[in-house]
Amino acid sequence: MTTPLNSHPSGRHFLQIPGPTNVPDRVLRAIDQPTIDHRGPEFAVLGRDILGRIGTVFQTRQPVVIYAGSGTGAWEAALVNTLSPGDRVLMAETGHFALLWKRLAERLGLVPEFIPGDWRHGADPEAIHARLADDRSHALKAVCVVHNETSTGVTSRIAEIRRAIDRAAHPALFMVDTISSLGSIDYRHDEWGVDVTVAGSQKGLMLPPGLSFNAVSEKARAASREARLPRAYWAWDEIIEANTKGYWPSTPATNLLYGLQAALDQLEAEGLPNVFARHDRHAEATRRAVRAWGLEILCANPAEYSSALTAVMMPPGHDADAFRRTVLQHLDMSLGTGLSRLAGKVFRIGHLGDFNDLALMGTLSGVEIGLALAGVPHRKGGAQAALDYLAQAHAPARSAAIAA
Ligand SMILES: Cc1ncc(COP(=O)(O)O)c(C=O)c1O
């Protein structure tokens, strides 16, 4: 017998982890089409359309390489295309995902230097500046930063880090992981002078897991000509060459690309500035709820609050995972777990992707009911505080027809 999936009693399951996110119906319907010949003329039309539009989401005019693979693959691709064995790279300890990227770099034979962090702050532009200014021989070949640390709900200040690299007049490549920020939080590959942007399909892009991305600068492509780490599947040049005709060298994830086309339609129709404003509004409403409950937000710097998720600290003596289990059993809602050193200490509310004010209110109401059911000490009124905020920072009218 197969395992029944999504066999929830009635109503929709609330998938409020910070990715994978809820996939819009129009994207699911687009995926549900016959798979076509990936070397045929019909495919080239699809490929060209997507490749012509995907840069908008990264705010770049430079090539975006699309892989069938998870975000981890795109991390690896960024490193193996540009670096050589033994190269030193500067990384910032923002949380679990920064740690995983560092481990991956070590396994590839790179030598990461980790700027320590407390998992409550983003990467520190001053610390990056100081280390680069010290590196007179330019031994450091890359600076790698996670834009939105999904394990903590902290967003690093990428534009400031770019300025810090420039102030040190250091030639290191700048690589940024936008796996949980792209399509949710303002991110500008070209304007911020990023050399490789790493992204995945399953969060702000509102797709299932399975696609990942590298947006690539001229400087990164030049570095790839000299780089000596072994690379095969991840090699940019062959893919970029095949992409000029709308194809890929190996079999692409055709049905996920149908979904990507529909997701791009949806993001373009809403408009990126509106998408970012919506995420900002939902994040602020969530923080107001958390404060009203008397709970603490993990992110310690308001300038680095994440608009994609909020990590909430559990009162001492209470297990975040027991609370999450109660919420799942009674309310059919999945919340994000605490990762590595935050296990049991935080739960994470995902408020990114295909989401609106009423879905947020359902989510926050579910958290508030769950706190009561699980016996977690808190004050009532968090959902009300969010509702009050949404009522004054209201969403723009959905269309002229509805407004009329
Ligand atoms: C910021 C960040 N980086 C990297 C990853 C790893 O991506 P994946 O699990 O798709 O391989 C994740 C996954 O959630 C993430 O949130």
Side-chain angles (χ1 to χ4, degrees):
M1 209 181 101
T2 52
T3 312
L5 289 175
N6 200 20
S7 59
H8 302 285
S10 66
R12 280 222 173 184
H13 175 69
F14 269 59
L15 181 66
Q16 297 317 136
I17 59 174
T21 59
N22 296 289
V23 179
D25 290 351
R26 70 192 287 178
V27 173
L28 288 173
R29 281 197 293 270
I31 290 170
D32 182 16
Q33 302 289 323
T35 303
I36 54 172
D37 174 8
H38 61 288
R39 311 272 182 220
E42 223 182 329
F43 187 91
V45 176
L46 171 74
R48 283 215 190 91
D49 180 53
I50 288 171
L51 291 161
R53 292 201 283 151
I54 186 68
T56 315
V57 190
F58 291 80
Q59 304 197 47
T60 184
R61 294 179 179 280
Q62 303 179 80
V64 177
V65 178
I66 306 177
Y67 297 106
S70 86
T72 304
W75 267 344
E76 178 163 335
L79 301 176
V80 296
N81 274 288
T82 52
L83 298 168
S84 298
D87 275 355
R88 303 186 81 82
V89 293
L90 189 62
M91 295 180 139
E93 184 192 3
T94 47
H96 176 73
F97 290 103
L99 196 61
L100 292 186
W101 200 6
K102 170 178 171 275
R103 279 194 202 141
L104 187 144
E106 281 163 351
R107 286 187 198 166
L108 293 173
L110 298 168
V111 183
E113 260 184 46
F114 219 21
I115 299 178
D118 65 358
W119 294 39
R120 298 193 68 177
H121 293 84
D124 177 2
E126 286 316 310
I128 291 173
H129 174 263
R131 181 62 193 95
L132 293 179
D134 223 28
D135 178 34
R136 300 231 166 71
S137 65
H138 297 165
L140 290 162
K141 299 299 177 205
V143 176
C144 302
V145 176
V146 176
H147 182 207
N148 186 67
E149 180 50 80
T150 324
S151 61
T152 62
V154 178
T155 305
S156 286
R157 291 160 285 151
I158 300 302
E160 283 182 45
I161 295 171
R162 173 74 259 170
R163 286 196 287 275
I165 299 171
D166 291 346
R167 261 193 295 130
H170 198 289
L173 293 164
F174 189 23
M175 305 199 195
V176 180
D177 168 341
T178 64
I179 287 174
S180 61
S181 56
L182 193 83
S184 301
I185 300 171
D186 193 7
Y187 177 78
R188 305 173 185 201
H189 176 87
D190 285 356
E191 189 183 319
W192 295 346
V194 179
D195 294 301
V196 189
T197 297
V198 173
S201 55
Q202 71 271 30
K203 304 197 192 233
L205 287 181
M206 308 176 289
L207 292 165
L211 292 180
S212 58
F213 307 83
N214 277 179
V216 179
S217 75
E218 266 303 312
K219 183 172 160 187
R221 286 191 78 186
S224 80
R225 286 176 207 118
E226 313 294 322
R228 283 177 291 102
L229 276 176
R231 69 190 105 121
Y233 179 70
W234 305 116
W236 290 334
D237 278 356
E238 288 167 31
I239 300 174
I240 292 171
E241 171 60 29
N243 281 174
T244 58
K245 299 193 171 64
Y247 297 109
W248 271 258
S250 58
T251 312
T254 307
N255 291 56
L256 286 176
L257 294 174
Y258 296 154
L260 178 56
Q261 195 176 38
L264 291 175
D265 290 344
Q266 184 156 326
L267 289 169
E268 281 169 18
E270 186 174 357
L272 273 188
N274 295 329
V275 170
F276 302 145
R278 168 167 58 81
H279 283 79
D280 292 344
R281 193 171 70 250
H282 292 157
E284 176 58 27
T286 303
R287 291 190 295 268
R288 289 184 184 219
V290 175
R291 289 191 201 106
W293 290 322
L295 300 179
E296 196 176 340
I297 296 163
L298 180 67
C299 178
N301 178 3
E304 296 174 329
Y305 281 149
S306 168
S307 287
L309 75 136
T310 301
V312 183
M313 294 170 77
M314 279 310 261
H318 292 267
D319 178 12
D321 285 336
F323 163 70
R324 289 177 48 256
R325 269 194 302 278
T326 302
V327 171
L328 181 60
Q329 280 165 2
H330 292 267
L331 300 153
D332 199 16
M333 175 161 74
S334 297
L335 295 169
T337 187
L339 292 166
S340 45
R341 77 186 216 197
L342 296 171
K345 297 195 173 80
V346 304
F347 65 91
R348 295 172 298 147
I349 304 171
H351 33 74
L352 73 163
D354 187 39
F355 204 52
N356 63 21
D357 289 12
L358 296 188
L360 176 70
M361 286 316 304
T363 301
L364 297 175
S365 301
V367 172
E368 187 156 338
I369 298 168
L371 291 170
L373 288 175
V376 178
H378 69 287
R379 291 193 299 265
K380 290 191 194 314
Q384 182 67 51
L387 192 151
D388 292 344
Y389 173 74
L390 290 177
Q392 46 114 52
H394 56 84
R398 284 157 63 89
S399 75
I402 294 171

